[in-house]
Amino acid sequence: MDKRPRRLRYNPLVRELVKETVLELSDLIYPLFIIEGNHIKKEISSLKGVYHFSIDCLEEEIREIVALGIKYVILFGVPEHKDNKGSEAYNDEGIIQRAIRTIKSITQELYVITDVCMCEYTSHGHCGILDQKGYVDNEKSLYYLGQVAVSHAKAGADMIAPSDMMDGRVGYMRKELDEWGYTHVPIMSYSAKYASSFYGPFREAAGSTPAFGDRKTYQMDYANSDEALREVSLDIEEGADIVIVKPALAYLDIIRRVKDHFNIPIAAYNVSGEYAMLKLAVENNLLDEQAIMETILSIKRAGADIIITYFAKDIAKKLKGLS
Ligand code: PBG
């Protein structure tokens, strides 16, 4: 018998017929950075093609995103005022709360997700509240993070995404959201979040580099894989609706293990450093542009249902035949 795998490769139509993974725009979430001030649309130097927007400059961007067919955004805020409790994070008039209301007044077509964390809002840059010795106080942090989640929901957020990595925060936020009547707001939890050097450009963009120490006491060791399954399992028990693996590319094995072990939607965060590397390589003609599709598709092939990526606009243009 003639066993030739190539039989299914000769004709482009048959290649299409047997294609296993297809990337769709509805798989992608596009991150947006919102900054205080007026008339600001400024490229983030470490993230080519990604900008800081002040709220008054959001409209044009939002209209472009919708026109490209992108349906989901995740918001990050860069406040002017930082303090040790990160109080701008749960201020109903804070940067994110105003941005959500502005976006919702521009369009109802965009699904707005918010990142819930303290690191952009605290003067020390850690993801929670510190105790007197300078360690993150898990229980105290939960109280404040619960307030942040509710305040985002009040402003109109469609989904919240806790990225702080405190223990028990999914259950705590679920309880708070339910008590305030936001039972319909899902939680997409950063469940397996590694202490990674690939967040470098984001920390510049969000002004969230810790003033001292690092995040290794609350983010995961990149040597570990079983631990990711324990984290995911706890978050599911606490009520997470979607779990995130972050970063994506150096962690494709983790995405696949989570996919094989659990029956829950998985999002992978293709983080700032991963974007910067590839974007620079393509812009400098070291790699062909196809490398972008190939890379993002690999995340889906590994098992992610959803991909959070700064490439969303580039991919939308590609899928629409605009580039
Ligand atoms: C906030 C947060 C970070 C990222 C998303 N949410 C930074 C961090 O944990 O240090 C990183 C995203 C990226 O690098 O694109 N905690």
Side-chain angles (χ1 to χ4, degrees):
M1 196 174 46
D2 184 7
K3 296 179 192 159
R4 290 197 219 191
R6 273 194 287 155
R7 238 191 309 263
L8 288 178
R9 292 182 202 139
Y10 290 128
N11 181 317
L13 281 175
V14 81
R15 287 203 293 273
E16 200 66 28
L17 186 67
V18 298
K19 199 186 278 295
E20 295 174 37
T21 316
V22 180
L23 191 64
E24 288 171 300
L25 261 187
S26 58
D27 299 326
L28 306 183
I29 301 176
Y30 186 56
L32 278 177
F33 293 97
I34 325 281
I35 195 166
E36 291 283 3
N38 287 308
H39 315 304
I40 302 170
K41 178 186 175 183
K42 190 168 177 282
E43 190 171 52
I44 299 164
S45 59
S46 55
L47 285 174
K48 283 207 98 199
V50 181
Y51 294 79
H52 276 136
F53 292 98
S54 55
I55 290 182
D56 62 326
C57 287
L58 266 177
E59 179 155 2
E60 195 186 337
E61 175 72 4
I62 295 297
R63 297 218 183 275
E64 189 192 338
I65 289 171
V66 171
L68 282 171
I70 293 171
K71 299 188 177 74
Y72 311 94
V73 288
I74 182 163
L75 306 185
F76 295 96
V78 190
E80 215 152 50
H81 170 76
K82 301 183 186 226
D83 56 33
N84 61 0
K85 287 199 177 65
S87 54
E88 276 301 289
Y90 49 88
N91 177 354
D92 285 343
E93 292 304 318
I95 179 96
I96 285 297
Q97 291 79 355
R98 281 180 286 133
I100 299 167
R101 293 197 291 264
T102 302
I103 295 172
K104 289 294 178 187
S105 73
I106 296 167
T107 179
Q108 292 294 319
E109 282 176 51
L110 207 54
Y111 190 87
V112 177
I113 305 164
T114 56
D115 184 86
V116 172
C117 195
M118 284 290 181
C119 64
E120 298 108 306
Y121 300 88
T122 49
S123 37
H124 44 73
H126 279 286
C127 301
I129 307 299
L130 302 185
D131 64 16
Q132 271 150 6
K133 290 195 200 111
Y135 290 108
V136 171
D137 183 331
N138 197 88
E139 302 315 302
K140 221 182 193 168
S141 301
L142 288 186
Y143 169 77
Y144 288 104
L145 288 160
Q147 293 201 18
V148 180
V150 169
S151 142
H152 287 182
K154 243 193 250 174
D158 295 302
M159 185 190 284
I160 63 150
S163 70
D164 53 279
M165 291 302 273
M166 298 304 128
D167 289 335
R169 88 255 202 236
V170 173
Y172 190 85
M173 287 184 202
R174 186 69 272 160
K175 180 174 95 13
E176 286 291 300
L177 286 169
D178 290 351
E179 274 172 15
W180 282 82
Y182 300 108
T183 49
H184 58 285
V185 174
I187 296 180
M188 175 166 76
S189 173
Y190 288 78
S191 303
K193 178 168 171 179
Y194 286 87
S196 168
S197 53
F198 287 97
Y199 308 149
F202 174 94
R203 291 185 185 168
E204 185 202 320
S208 63
T209 307
F212 60 90
D214 55 41
R215 301 202 166 130
K216 290 188 177 143
T217 58
Y218 44 96
Q219 297 185 351
M220 288 175 46
D221 182 342
Y222 61 74
N224 295 352
S225 161
D226 291 344
E227 189 187 1
L229 300 185
R230 292 199 292 275
E231 290 278 5
V232 168
S233 157
L234 281 173
D235 280 5
I236 294 174
E237 266 173 47
E238 288 181 30
D241 300 285
I242 299 172
V243 296
I244 303 180
V245 175
K246 176 183 164 197
L249 294 178
Y251 300 86
L252 293 174
D253 58 321
I254 308 294
I255 297 173
R256 173 45 60 183
R257 282 196 80 191
V258 173
K259 177 77 179 168
D260 288 343
H261 270 77
F262 300 98
N263 187 5
I264 188 162
I266 302 170
Y269 199 139
N270 175 225
V271 300
S272 56
E274 299 175 327
Y275 170 84
M277 271 190 323
L278 194 49
K279 188 83 178 171
L280 285 178
V282 170
E283 297 229 326
N284 290 296
N285 295 319
L286 294 170
L287 291 177
D288 181 83
E289 206 191 33
Q290 185 197 294
I292 296 174
M293 274 297 200
E294 202 179 319
T295 301
I296 302 302
L297 193 80
S298 78
I299 301 171
K300 188 161 180 193
R301 199 183 61 229
D305 304 285
I306 302 161
I307 302 162
I308 306 168
T309 180
Y310 304 96
F311 282 118
K313 280 169 85 171
D314 293 319
I315 292 171
K317 287 176 191 158
K318 189 102 217 141
L319 293 178
K320 285 190 144 229
L322 297 174
S323 70

